Amino acid sequence: MGSQADNFFEGAGFDWESYIIHRPAPTADFYQLIYDHHRTNGGEFSLAHDIGTGPGNIAEQVGKTFKRVHASEPSAYHTSVAEHRLKAIDPQKFTTQQCRGEDISAAGHKSGSVDLITVAQCLPLMNVDQAISGFAKLLKPDGTLAIWFYGRPAFADPDQHHSQLIINRILSKAWDRVRPMKGTGFEPAKIMLCAFLDNVPFPSEDWEQVRRLKWNDDKPMMFLDNDDVDFEIKWDSAVREGESEEKFIDRDFWVVDADVGWMRGFVDYALPWENKDEEKAQFDGLFKELERSMGGKEKKHKVTWPVVLLLATKR
């Protein structure tokens, strides 16, 4: 991962519990879809590995179904947070390790030892070819790789079109802090999001039963509009013949009943750069505009998400 992304959530002052609260949460049905794929293709439920675990919230959920869960994370600080949270739940079930996702197969793990690998909200910031190859080495035959990502929040109610335009402006302004992006790790990451991960390859010598599932792909996956970046957006599709592509429009998918306070928390914890006084005043004004558009401080509206899930079975 690039250093810009690595430093997003560093520091003892970062509130991880608020971070979790202000993110959309995969539903039980979403996890069950992964487990059904895993079971149907002969997978076992002994050991799962959560890559890029952050505070361990995905590992925690996977631990409800798997006997043991190993959680890895490139940041030393994130790893310590995950270890603290997960050991408090079950010190026998969970283990943690500081390691980049790309390097995990060379980090002391036995090849062909893992039943399920989960990769949530982090693959676009990795060296994808290296990561996918490493995951293949780590998984048992018939093991499952599950990769997912959600995109820009989308107001589900048509009458909130103006609110959508305002949150789009807020997110664009938040990204001003790391411009220019051309030539940085954010360029390939954002191209991958625009592609809904269709440029992620699953070589046939390692993978079978590949499924590419997309919810609400009529909404942008990238937090920015295409004309709001300083590089050309183009990609080569890696979708092979025989892979399954499944699309769903579902405005209740991972839905959040959000007021303006939740929307501000989402932005603050998704892109937690420190604001200068002038920037803070500008954000305050934009969120006040959003509050009026949403109908007041306590008024809630349905917010949904574009989501992509990639499932692949190890040969």
Side-chain angles (χ1 to χ4, degrees), residues 21-78:
I21 290 169
H22 291 96
R23 288 169 79 94
T27 60
D29 287 347
F30 182 82
Y31 286 108
Q32 192 60 52
L33 190 157
I34 295 170
Y35 302 150
D36 287 347
H37 175 97
H38 185 62
R39 184 180 290 106
T40 297
N41 290 287
E44 300 174 358
F45 288 81
S46 178
L47 176 61
H49 191 136
D50 184 39
I51 302 288
T53 198
N57 50 315
I58 301 300
E60 177 183 352
Q61 295 301 316
V62 173
K64 296 176 181 179
T65 300
F66 278 73
K67 294 178 182 176
R68 293 180 295 126
V69 180
H70 187 71
S72 63
E73 167 64 42
S75 160
Y77 174 62
H78 301 182

Side-chain angles (χ1 to χ4, degrees), residues 279-296:
E279 287 179 321
K280 184 178 184 304
Q282 292 172 343
F283 278 111
D284 287 346
L286 286 167
F287 277 108
K288 181 58 70 174
E289 186 180 347
L290 180 61
E291 178 185 316
R292 290 192 296 268
S293 178
M294 292 178 67

Side-chain angles (χ1 to χ4, degrees), residues 24 121 149-155 164-165 167-172 175 193 196 216 218-228 263 266 303-307:
Q121 293 297 118
F149 211 98
Y150 66 81
R152 188 164 72 185
F155 284 94
Q164 185 68 55
L165 296 178
I167 196 64
N168 294 354
R169 285 164 53 204
I170 290 170
L171 289 167
S172 177
W175 276 100
L193 295 182
F196 269 74
N216 300 321
D218 58 331
K219 302 295 184 181
M221 177 65 71
M222 187 171 66
F223 278 21
L224 301 171
D225 292 329
N226 288 6
D227 59 2
D228 201 18
M263 297 301 291
F266 173 80
V303 174
T304 188
W305 313 85
V307 176

Side-chain angles (χ1 to χ4, degrees), residues 123-124 128-129 132 145 147 192 195-203 210 212 235-240 243 310:
L123 185 73
V128 173
D129 291 336
I132 296 295
L145 174 59
I147 299 167
M192 187 184 298
F196 269 74
L197 278 60
D198 277 350
N199 59 346
V200 175
F202 292 98
V210 176
R212 298 176 184 265
W235 66 86
D236 294 323
S237 174
V239 181
R240 293 186 290 110
E243 294 184 357
L310 307 182

Side-chain angles (χ1 to χ4, degrees), residues 15-25 256 262 265-266 269:
D15 186 344
W16 280 103
E17 295 305 323
S18 290
Y19 165 90
I20 293 171
I21 290 169
H22 291 96
R23 288 169 79 94
V256 174
W262 192 95
F266 173 80
Y269 288 102

Side-chain angles (χ1 to χ4, degrees), residues 168-189:
N168 294 354
R169 285 164 53 204
I170 290 170
L171 289 167
S172 177
K173 179 162 185 56
W175 276 100
D176 283 348
R177 306 167 200 170
V178 293
R179 300 178 195 271
M181 288 181 275
K182 183 176 177 62
T184 74
F186 290 122
E187 180 177 352

